[in-house]
Protein backbone atom coordinates (compact mmCIF):
# COMPACT_ATOMS: atom_id res chain seq x y z
CA UNK A 1 0.00 0.00 0.00
CA UNK A 2 1.44 3.38 -1.04
CA UNK A 3 1.90 5.72 1.92
CA UNK A 4 1.90 9.26 0.58
CA UNK A 5 4.11 11.80 2.30
CA UNK A 6 1.87 14.78 3.06
CA UNK A 7 4.03 16.83 5.38
CA UNK A 8 6.89 18.70 3.80
CA UNK A 9 9.65 20.54 5.64
CA UNK A 10 9.32 23.86 3.80
CA UNK A 11 5.52 23.83 3.67
CA UNK A 12 5.35 23.19 7.42
CA UNK A 13 7.33 26.37 7.96
CA UNK A 14 4.53 28.41 6.34
CA UNK A 15 1.56 29.54 8.45
CA UNK A 16 -2.02 29.30 7.14
CA UNK A 17 -2.62 32.08 4.62
CA UNK A 18 -4.90 34.59 6.39
CA UNK A 19 -6.04 36.13 3.12
CA UNK A 20 -7.35 32.75 1.95
CA UNK A 21 -10.15 32.95 4.52
CA UNK A 22 -11.23 36.37 3.28
CA UNK A 23 -11.01 35.23 -0.33
CA UNK A 24 -13.18 32.21 0.44
CA UNK A 25 -15.86 34.41 1.97
CA UNK A 26 -15.67 36.79 -0.99
CA UNK A 27 -16.19 33.92 -3.46
CA UNK A 28 -19.12 32.61 -1.40
CA UNK A 29 -20.87 36.00 -1.17
CA UNK A 30 -20.39 36.64 -4.88
CA UNK A 31 -21.83 33.23 -5.65
CA UNK A 32 -24.87 34.23 -3.61
CA UNK A 33 -25.20 37.30 -5.85
CA UNK A 34 -23.78 40.01 -3.54
CA UNK A 35 -21.82 42.83 -5.17
CA UNK A 36 -18.45 42.99 -3.43
CA UNK A 37 -16.41 46.18 -3.85
CA UNK A 38 -12.95 44.68 -3.84
CA UNK A 39 -10.23 46.64 -2.05
CA UNK A 40 -8.46 43.42 -1.08
CA UNK A 41 -5.83 42.63 -3.66
CA UNK A 42 -3.20 45.16 -4.84
CA UNK A 43 -3.86 44.31 -8.45
CA UNK A 44 -3.78 47.42 -10.68
CA UNK A 45 -7.09 47.89 -12.50
CA UNK A 46 -5.78 50.39 -15.08
CA UNK A 47 -4.89 49.16 -18.59
CA UNK A 48 -1.25 48.75 -19.63
CA UNK A 49 -0.25 51.75 -21.83
CA UNK A 50 -1.08 51.21 -25.52
CA UNK A 51 2.46 51.77 -26.82
CA UNK A 52 3.69 48.93 -24.57
CA UNK A 53 1.00 46.54 -25.83
CA UNK A 54 1.74 47.58 -29.44
CA UNK A 55 5.43 46.78 -28.91
CA UNK A 56 4.55 43.34 -27.55
CA UNK A 57 2.36 42.58 -30.59
CA UNK A 58 4.99 43.87 -33.02
CA UNK A 59 7.76 41.82 -31.40
CA UNK A 60 5.88 38.57 -31.06
CA UNK A 61 5.32 38.59 -34.83
CA UNK A 62 9.03 38.77 -35.57
CA UNK A 63 11.03 35.64 -36.22
CA UNK A 64 13.34 34.35 -33.49
CA UNK A 65 11.53 36.11 -30.63
CA UNK A 66 9.56 33.15 -29.36
CA UNK A 67 12.36 30.80 -28.34
CA UNK A 68 14.07 30.60 -24.98
CA UNK A 69 15.15 34.03 -23.83
CA UNK A 70 18.04 35.06 -21.60
CA UNK A 71 17.75 34.26 -17.90
CA UNK A 72 19.27 37.51 -16.64
CA UNK A 73 17.37 39.61 -19.20
CA UNK A 74 18.23 40.78 -22.71
CA UNK A 75 20.97 43.36 -22.96
CA UNK A 76 18.64 46.14 -24.16
CA UNK A 77 16.37 45.68 -21.15
CA UNK A 78 19.21 45.86 -18.64
CA UNK A 79 20.39 49.03 -20.42
CA UNK A 80 16.86 50.50 -20.23
CA UNK A 81 16.88 49.81 -16.47
CA UNK A 82 20.25 51.57 -16.17
CA UNK A 83 18.82 54.60 -17.98
CA UNK A 84 15.85 54.62 -15.60
CA UNK A 85 18.12 54.66 -12.51
CA UNK A 86 20.24 57.40 -14.04
CA UNK A 87 17.26 59.56 -15.00
CA UNK A 88 15.21 59.01 -11.85
CA UNK A 89 17.80 58.73 -9.06
CA UNK A 90 21.03 60.04 -10.61
CA UNK A 91 22.49 56.57 -9.96
CA UNK A 92 24.83 54.95 -12.45
CA UNK A 93 24.60 51.13 -12.79
CA UNK A 94 26.59 48.73 -14.94
CA UNK A 95 24.04 46.69 -16.96
CA UNK A 96 26.53 43.79 -17.15
CA UNK A 97 27.29 43.31 -13.48
CA UNK A 98 24.83 45.37 -11.45
CA UNK A 99 21.45 44.69 -13.09
CA UNK A 100 19.40 41.55 -13.59
CA UNK A 101 15.88 41.40 -15.03
CA UNK A 102 13.46 39.26 -13.04
CA UNK A 103 9.99 37.84 -13.63
CA UNK A 104 8.36 40.38 -11.37
CA UNK A 105 10.26 41.74 -8.40
CA UNK A 106 8.72 38.93 -6.33
CA UNK A 107 10.66 36.26 -8.24
CA UNK A 108 13.89 38.25 -7.92
CA UNK A 109 13.49 38.73 -4.18
CA UNK A 110 12.55 35.08 -3.56
CA UNK A 111 15.39 33.66 -5.61
CA UNK A 112 17.88 36.06 -4.06
CA UNK A 113 16.78 34.77 -0.65
CA UNK A 114 17.42 31.23 -1.92
CA UNK A 115 20.79 32.23 -3.31
CA UNK A 116 22.25 33.85 -0.21
CA UNK A 117 20.70 32.06 2.79
CA UNK A 118 22.39 29.42 4.92
CA UNK A 119 20.04 27.38 7.13
CA UNK A 120 19.60 29.18 10.44
CA UNK A 121 20.63 32.63 9.18
CA UNK A 122 18.77 35.41 10.96
CA UNK A 123 16.96 38.05 8.89
CA UNK A 124 15.43 41.27 10.20
CA UNK A 125 12.16 41.93 8.37
CA UNK A 126 9.61 44.71 8.86
CA UNK A 127 6.37 43.85 10.65
CA UNK A 128 3.90 44.56 9.10
CA UNK A 129 5.20 43.93 5.62
CA UNK A 130 4.53 42.25 2.28
CA UNK A 131 4.51 38.54 3.26
CA UNK A 132 7.31 37.63 0.85
CA UNK A 133 9.80 39.70 2.86
CA UNK A 134 9.69 37.24 5.73
CA UNK A 135 8.47 34.07 4.02
CA UNK A 136 10.81 34.25 1.03
CA UNK A 137 13.55 33.81 3.61
CA UNK A 138 11.61 31.31 5.73
CA UNK A 139 11.25 29.05 2.68
CA UNK A 140 15.00 29.44 2.14
CA UNK A 141 15.66 28.15 5.68
CA UNK A 142 16.25 31.41 7.56
CA UNK A 143 14.96 32.50 10.95
CA UNK A 144 13.03 35.77 10.89
CA UNK A 145 13.27 38.43 13.52
CA UNK A 146 10.25 40.69 12.93
CA UNK A 147 10.87 44.37 13.71
CA UNK A 148 7.90 46.72 14.27
CA UNK A 149 7.65 48.98 11.25
CA UNK A 150 4.57 51.10 10.91
CA UNK A 151 6.94 53.99 10.05
CA UNK A 152 10.56 54.15 8.82
CA UNK A 153 11.64 55.80 12.09
CA UNK A 154 10.10 53.00 14.12
CA UNK A 155 11.83 50.42 11.94
CA UNK A 156 15.24 52.06 12.23
CA UNK A 157 14.92 52.33 16.01
CA UNK A 158 13.82 48.67 16.15
CA UNK A 159 16.77 47.54 14.01
CA UNK A 160 19.22 49.40 16.26
CA UNK A 161 17.63 48.01 19.38
CA UNK A 162 17.68 44.43 18.03
CA UNK A 163 21.34 44.81 17.02
CA UNK A 164 22.27 46.11 20.45
CA UNK A 165 20.69 43.04 22.06
CA UNK A 166 21.90 40.47 19.50
CA UNK A 167 24.81 38.13 20.13
CA UNK A 168 25.38 38.01 16.37
CA UNK A 169 24.21 40.47 13.68
CA UNK A 170 21.65 39.24 11.15
CA UNK A 171 22.74 38.04 7.71
CA UNK A 172 20.36 40.50 6.04
CA UNK A 173 17.93 43.32 6.72
CA UNK A 174 14.87 43.83 4.52
CA UNK A 175 13.64 47.37 3.95
CA UNK A 176 10.53 48.36 2.00
CA UNK A 177 9.57 52.01 1.55
CA UNK A 178 7.12 53.08 0.23
CA UNK A 179 5.69 50.31 2.34
CA UNK A 180 3.12 47.76 1.44
CA UNK A 181 0.92 47.73 3.55
CA UNK A 182 1.39 51.01 5.46
CA UNK A 183 2.03 53.46 2.59
CA UNK A 184 4.74 55.13 4.68
CA UNK A 185 7.87 56.42 2.96
CA UNK A 186 11.51 56.80 4.01
CA UNK A 187 13.81 59.76 3.52
CA UNK A 188 17.38 59.53 2.33
CA UNK A 189 18.62 59.88 5.93
CA UNK A 190 16.95 56.50 6.68
CA UNK A 191 18.94 54.82 3.91
CA UNK A 192 22.15 56.56 5.06
CA UNK A 193 21.72 55.05 8.50
CA UNK A 194 20.84 51.59 7.18
CA UNK A 195 23.86 51.57 4.86
CA UNK A 196 26.11 52.73 7.72
CA UNK A 197 24.78 49.91 9.92
CA UNK A 198 25.27 47.39 7.11
CA UNK A 199 28.90 48.42 6.69
CA UNK A 200 29.58 48.41 10.41
CA UNK A 201 28.14 44.91 10.99
CA UNK A 202 28.73 43.32 7.58
CA UNK A 203 25.02 42.90 6.80
CA UNK A 204 23.30 42.58 3.42
CA UNK A 205 20.41 45.00 2.75
CA UNK A 206 17.50 44.05 0.53
CA UNK A 207 15.48 47.10 -0.42
CA UNK A 208 12.10 46.53 -2.06
CA UNK A 209 11.20 49.60 -4.11
CA UNK A 210 8.14 48.22 -5.91
CA UNK A 211 6.27 51.51 -5.36
CA UNK A 212 9.04 53.83 -6.54
CA UNK A 213 6.67 55.72 -8.86
CA UNK A 214 3.42 55.62 -6.88
CA UNK A 215 3.93 58.63 -4.64
CA UNK A 216 1.88 61.74 -3.82
CA UNK A 217 4.47 64.03 -2.25
CA UNK A 218 8.27 63.74 -2.24
CA UNK A 219 9.75 61.25 -4.71
CA UNK A 220 10.86 58.10 -2.85
CA UNK A 221 14.67 57.76 -3.00
CA UNK A 222 16.70 54.70 -3.97
CA UNK A 223 19.15 53.22 -1.48
CA UNK A 224 21.85 53.69 -4.13
CA UNK A 225 21.67 57.45 -3.75
CA UNK A 226 23.78 56.72 -0.66
CA UNK A 227 27.53 56.25 -1.18
CA UNK A 228 28.75 52.75 -0.35
CA UNK A 229 25.30 51.15 -0.81
CA UNK A 230 26.49 49.18 -3.81
CA UNK A 231 28.86 47.20 -1.57
CA UNK A 232 26.08 45.89 0.62
CA UNK A 233 22.67 46.25 -1.02
CA UNK A 234 20.34 44.92 -3.65
CA UNK A 235 17.20 46.80 -4.62
CA UNK A 236 14.21 45.32 -6.41
CA UNK A 237 11.94 47.40 -8.65
CA UNK A 238 8.89 46.49 -10.64
CA UNK A 239 6.94 47.45 -13.73
CA UNK A 240 3.78 45.97 -12.17
CA UNK A 241 2.44 49.11 -10.53
CA UNK A 242 4.31 51.81 -12.45
CA UNK A 243 2.94 50.74 -15.83
CA UNK A 244 -0.02 48.59 -14.71
CA UNK A 245 1.84 45.50 -15.92
CA UNK A 246 1.32 43.20 -12.94
CA UNK A 247 0.42 40.15 -15.02
CA UNK A 248 3.35 40.64 -17.38
CA UNK A 249 5.77 39.67 -14.58
CA UNK A 250 8.61 42.09 -15.13
CA UNK A 251 10.98 43.58 -12.59
CA UNK A 252 14.64 44.06 -11.70
CA UNK A 253 17.17 43.40 -9.01
CA UNK A 254 20.10 45.81 -9.04
CA UNK A 255 23.12 46.58 -6.90
CA UNK A 256 26.08 44.78 -5.36
CA UNK A 257 27.74 42.74 -8.15
CA UNK A 258 28.49 39.73 -5.91
CA UNK A 259 24.81 39.49 -4.91
CA UNK A 260 23.55 40.01 -8.47
CA UNK A 261 25.96 37.28 -9.60
CA UNK A 262 24.58 34.92 -6.92
CA UNK A 263 21.02 35.59 -8.09
CA UNK A 264 22.05 35.15 -11.74
CA UNK A 265 23.63 31.79 -10.89
CA UNK A 266 20.50 30.46 -9.17
CA UNK A 267 18.26 31.78 -11.95
CA UNK A 268 20.43 30.18 -14.62
CA UNK A 269 19.38 26.80 -13.21
CA UNK A 270 15.71 27.73 -12.79
CA UNK A 271 14.53 29.77 -15.77
CA UNK A 272 15.24 31.03 -19.29
CA UNK A 273 14.08 34.55 -18.52
CA UNK A 274 10.79 36.23 -19.35
CA UNK A 275 9.30 35.80 -22.84
CA UNK A 276 11.45 37.98 -25.15
CA UNK A 277 8.52 40.07 -26.52
CA UNK A 278 7.63 40.97 -22.92
CA UNK A 279 11.21 42.08 -22.30
CA UNK A 280 11.17 44.20 -25.47
CA UNK A 281 7.82 45.73 -24.47
CA UNK A 282 9.27 46.45 -21.02
CA UNK A 283 12.03 48.48 -22.75
CA UNK A 284 9.26 50.47 -24.48
CA UNK A 285 7.67 51.11 -21.09
CA UNK A 286 10.91 52.33 -19.47
CA UNK A 287 12.20 54.33 -22.46
CA UNK A 288 8.89 55.56 -23.87
CA UNK A 289 6.64 58.49 -22.92
CA UNK A 290 6.09 58.68 -19.17
CA UNK A 291 2.78 60.56 -19.16
CA UNK A 292 1.08 57.21 -18.42
CA UNK A 293 2.99 57.09 -15.12
CA UNK A 294 1.90 60.64 -14.24
CA UNK A 295 -1.70 59.64 -15.04
CA UNK A 296 -1.53 56.47 -12.90
CA UNK A 297 -0.13 58.46 -9.98
CA UNK A 298 -2.94 61.01 -10.37
CA UNK A 299 -5.56 58.25 -10.43
CA UNK A 300 -4.27 56.70 -7.20
CA UNK A 301 -3.99 60.12 -5.56
CA UNK A 302 -7.58 61.06 -6.44
CA UNK A 303 -8.83 57.73 -5.15
CA UNK A 304 -6.85 58.16 -1.95
CA UNK A 305 -8.38 61.59 -1.40
CA UNK A 306 -11.91 60.39 -2.13
CA UNK A 307 -11.45 57.41 0.19
CA UNK A 308 -10.02 59.36 3.11
CA UNK A 309 -12.71 62.01 2.79
CA UNK A 310 -15.74 59.76 2.18
CA UNK A 311 -14.80 57.07 4.71
CA UNK A 312 -14.12 59.85 7.22
CA UNK A 313 -17.62 61.26 6.67
CA UNK A 314 -18.96 57.72 7.11
CA UNK A 315 -17.43 57.65 10.59
CA UNK A 316 -14.15 55.86 9.81
CA UNK A 317 -11.16 58.16 10.18
CA UNK A 318 -8.20 56.90 8.22
CA UNK A 319 -4.80 58.52 7.68
CA UNK A 320 -3.83 59.64 4.20
CA UNK A 321 -0.80 57.70 2.86
CA UNK A 322 2.15 59.51 1.23
CA UNK A 323 2.71 56.79 -1.35
CA UNK A 324 1.79 53.30 -2.61
CA UNK A 325 -1.65 52.14 -3.71
CA UNK A 326 -2.83 51.34 -0.19
CA UNK A 327 -4.54 53.00 2.73
CA UNK A 328 -3.53 51.50 6.08
CA UNK A 329 -6.55 51.98 8.26
CA UNK A 330 -6.89 51.43 12.00
CA UNK A 331 -10.17 49.68 12.82
CA UNK A 332 -13.00 52.17 13.43
CA UNK A 333 -13.27 53.07 17.13
CA UNK A 334 -16.55 51.21 17.59
CA UNK A 335 -14.97 48.03 16.14
CA UNK A 336 -11.59 48.28 17.84
CA UNK A 337 -12.40 45.32 20.09
CA UNK A 338 -12.48 43.00 17.07
CA UNK A 339 -9.57 41.23 15.42
CA UNK A 340 -8.63 42.53 11.99
CA UNK A 341 -9.79 39.25 10.45
CA UNK A 342 -13.20 39.41 12.17
CA UNK A 343 -13.62 43.02 11.11
CA UNK A 344 -12.64 42.29 7.49
CA UNK A 345 -15.26 39.54 7.36
CA UNK A 346 -17.96 41.72 8.94
CA UNK A 347 -17.19 44.57 6.58
CA UNK A 348 -17.59 42.24 3.62
CA UNK A 349 -20.85 40.75 4.86
CA UNK A 350 -22.49 43.99 6.05
CA UNK A 351 -20.94 46.65 3.79
CA UNK A 352 -20.02 44.60 0.71
CA UNK A 353 -16.42 45.84 0.91
CA UNK A 354 -13.43 43.48 0.81
CA UNK A 355 -10.25 44.61 2.60
CA UNK A 356 -7.13 42.77 3.77
CA UNK A 357 -6.82 42.04 7.51
CA UNK A 358 -3.68 43.69 8.88
CA UNK A 359 -2.61 40.54 10.73
CA UNK A 360 -1.92 38.94 7.34
CA UNK A 361 1.09 41.27 7.07
CA UNK A 362 2.50 40.32 10.49
CA UNK A 363 1.32 40.29 14.10
CA UNK A 364 2.11 43.99 14.40
CA UNK A 365 -0.52 44.62 11.72
CA UNK A 366 -3.27 43.52 14.11
CA UNK A 367 -5.75 46.36 14.69
CA UNK A 368 -5.51 47.54 11.06
CA UNK A 369 -6.84 46.64 7.64
CA UNK A 370 -5.27 47.44 4.29
CA UNK A 371 -7.54 49.02 1.71
CA UNK A 372 -6.19 48.91 -1.86
CA UNK A 373 -6.94 51.83 -4.18
CA UNK A 374 -8.01 49.55 -7.01
CA UNK A 375 -11.67 50.50 -7.34
CA UNK A 376 -12.83 53.69 -9.09
CA UNK A 377 -14.05 56.81 -7.27
CA UNK A 378 -17.72 55.98 -7.76
CA UNK A 379 -17.25 52.53 -6.20
CA UNK A 380 -15.25 54.06 -3.34
CA UNK A 381 -18.16 56.44 -2.62
CA UNK A 382 -20.60 53.54 -2.79
CA UNK A 383 -18.45 51.62 -0.29
CA UNK A 384 -18.43 54.69 1.99
CA UNK A 385 -22.25 54.80 1.96
CA UNK A 386 -22.41 51.10 2.83
CA UNK A 387 -19.82 51.58 5.58
CA UNK A 388 -21.78 54.47 7.06
CA UNK A 389 -24.91 52.30 7.27
CA UNK A 390 -22.90 49.44 8.80
CA UNK A 391 -21.23 51.65 11.39
CA UNK A 392 -24.48 53.42 12.29
CA UNK A 393 -26.69 50.36 12.60
CA UNK A 394 -24.16 47.62 13.30
CA UNK A 395 -25.31 45.65 10.25
C1 LIG B 1 6.12 45.56 -1.62
C2 LIG B 1 5.93 44.67 -2.78
N1 LIG B 1 6.98 44.07 -3.30
C3 LIG B 1 6.87 43.25 -4.36
C4 LIG B 1 5.64 43.01 -4.94
C5 LIG B 1 5.58 42.07 -6.10
O1 LIG B 1 5.59 42.78 -7.28
P1 LIG B 1 5.90 42.12 -8.66
O2 LIG B 1 4.63 42.13 -9.43
O3 LIG B 1 6.96 42.97 -9.27
O4 LIG B 1 6.40 40.73 -8.44
C6 LIG B 1 4.50 43.62 -4.44
C7 LIG B 1 3.19 43.35 -5.03
O5 LIG B 1 2.16 43.74 -4.56
C8 LIG B 1 4.65 44.47 -3.32
O6 LIG B 1 3.59 45.08 -2.78
Amino acid sequence: MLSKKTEFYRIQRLPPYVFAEVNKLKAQLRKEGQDIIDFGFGNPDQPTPKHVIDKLIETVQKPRTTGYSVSRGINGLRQACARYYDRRFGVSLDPETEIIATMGSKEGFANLAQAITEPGDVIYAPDPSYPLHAYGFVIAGAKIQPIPAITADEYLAGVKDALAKATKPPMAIVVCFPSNPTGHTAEISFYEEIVRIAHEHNIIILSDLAYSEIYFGEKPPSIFEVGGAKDVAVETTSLSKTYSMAGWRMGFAVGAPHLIAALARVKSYLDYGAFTPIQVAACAALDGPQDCVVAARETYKNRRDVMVESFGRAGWDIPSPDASMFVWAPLPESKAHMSSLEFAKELMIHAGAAVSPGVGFGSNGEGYVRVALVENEQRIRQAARNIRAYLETGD
Side-chain angles (χ1 to χ4, degrees):
M1 170 85 171
L2 179 69
S3 98
K4 273 193 195 152
K5 180 174 171 178
T6 54
E7 303 207 325
F8 302 99
Y9 169 74
R10 288 199 164 74
I11 304 302
Q12 279 180 312
R13 291 171 61 93
L14 298 173
Y17 196 53
V18 178
F19 304 125
E21 240 185 276
V22 181
N23 290 340
K24 206 168 120 197
L25 178 63
K26 183 163 62 189
Q28 185 199 319
L29 292 174
R30 279 188 168 153
K31 212 168 148 197
E32 289 166 10
Q34 192 168 330
D35 173 32
I36 303 295
I37 304 173
D38 196 353
F39 302 113
F41 187 19
N43 196 6
D45 61 320
Q46 305 294 298
T48 299
K50 185 174 178 306
H51 66 277
V52 179
I53 295 175
D54 288 346
K55 182 55 85 177
L56 174 80
I57 294 169
E58 180 195 318
T59 314
V60 80
Q61 289 169 333
K62 288 187 178 162
R64 294 193 309 279
T65 60
T66 56
Y68 289 127
S69 194
V70 186
S71 174
R72 67 197 183 108
I74 57 174
N75 192 24
L77 179 57
R78 283 179 282 110
Q79 285 180 1
C81 177
R83 283 191 288 276
Y84 164 70
Y85 261 83
D86 185 27
R87 180 171 81 227
R88 169 69 168 81
F89 305 110
V91 166
S92 144
L93 293 170
D94 179 351
E96 270 309 302
T97 59
E98 295 176 335
I99 299 180
I100 187 165
T102 57
M103 289 179 276
S105 60
K106 192 173 194 181
E107 179 268 310
F109 190 101
N111 278 326
L112 184 58
Q114 292 294 334
I116 64 177
T117 304
E118 284 181 30
D121 274 345
V122 174
I123 311 295
Y124 290 0
D127 179 359
S129 201
Y130 183 58
L132 173 71
H133 296 154
Y135 292 105
F137 277 105
V138 166
I139 295 170
K143 193 171 166 295
I144 301 300
Q145 181 154 350
I147 310 275
I150 301 290
T151 65
D153 283 348
E154 184 185 27
Y155 191 49
L156 191 57
V159 164
K160 287 182 180 171
D161 189 46
L163 274 171
K165 291 179 183 146
T167 46
K168 193 174 149 229
M171 185 273 280
I173 299 177
V174 179
V175 303
C176 179
F177 293 103
S179 160
N180 173 10
T182 71
H184 279 280
T185 53
E187 292 178 7
I188 197 71
S189 54
F190 167 85
Y191 292 105
E192 283 164 357
E193 266 304 274
I194 284 286
V195 169
R196 187 192 61 70
I197 289 169
H199 274 266
E200 186 181 333
H201 298 280
N202 197 17
I203 300 170
I204 293 167
I205 305 295
L206 265 64
S207 169
D208 181 342
L209 194 56
Y211 297 94
S212 58
E213 303 311 317
I214 314 297
Y215 57 82
F216 315 124
E218 296 285 305
K219 289 183 185 184
S222 158
I223 194 166
F224 298 115
E225 290 175 47
V226 177
K230 273 197 203 170
D231 300 327
V232 292
V234 167
E235 188 162 77
T236 47
T237 53
S238 173
L239 269 58
S240 294
K241 321 292 163 142
T242 308
Y243 301 101
S244 295
M245 290 175 67
W248 297 57
R249 312 309 300 129
M250 187 46 64
F252 297 96
V254 311
H258 66 293
L259 298 172
I260 297 301
L263 174 57
R265 186 86 193 280
V266 164
K267 276 174 65 62
S268 72
Y269 285 95
L270 297 180
D271 68 63
Y272 288 108
F275 187 41
T276 301
I278 289 183
Q279 297 194 45
V280 174
C283 296
L286 287 167
D287 286 337
Q290 298 298 303
D291 46 345
C292 51
V293 182
V294 176
R297 200 178 288 137
E298 200 57 24
T299 299
Y300 288 123
K301 181 174 180 293
N302 291 341
R303 290 178 180 179
R304 173 200 70 166
D305 293 344
V306 168
M307 187 177 284
V308 169
E309 188 265 334
S310 63
F311 282 27
R313 273 195 292 113
W316 187 6
D317 284 324
I318 53 181
S320 180
D322 294 333
S324 86
M325 52 195 283
F326 306 108
V327 167
W328 182 239
L331 266 52
E333 250 176 68
S334 62
K335 306 289 174 188
H337 58 282
M338 299 174 91
S339 75
S340 58
L341 180 57
E342 281 167 342
F343 175 70
K345 286 182 180 172
E346 269 221 352
L347 199 67
M348 189 154 26
I349 294 168
H350 298 297
V355 298
S356 299
V359 72
F361 302 95
S363 56
N364 210 36
E366 193 47 279
Y368 294 84
V369 291
R370 190 196 71 175
V371 196
L373 299 166
V374 291
E375 291 270 16
N376 66 34
E377 292 176 32
Q378 195 192 336
R379 300 271 284 168
I380 293 171
R381 290 187 205 281
Q382 178 61 49
R385 284 192 289 275
N386 299 352
I387 288 167
R388 161 173 257 161
Y390 160 60
L391 292 179
E392 279 175 3
T393 63
D395 59 32

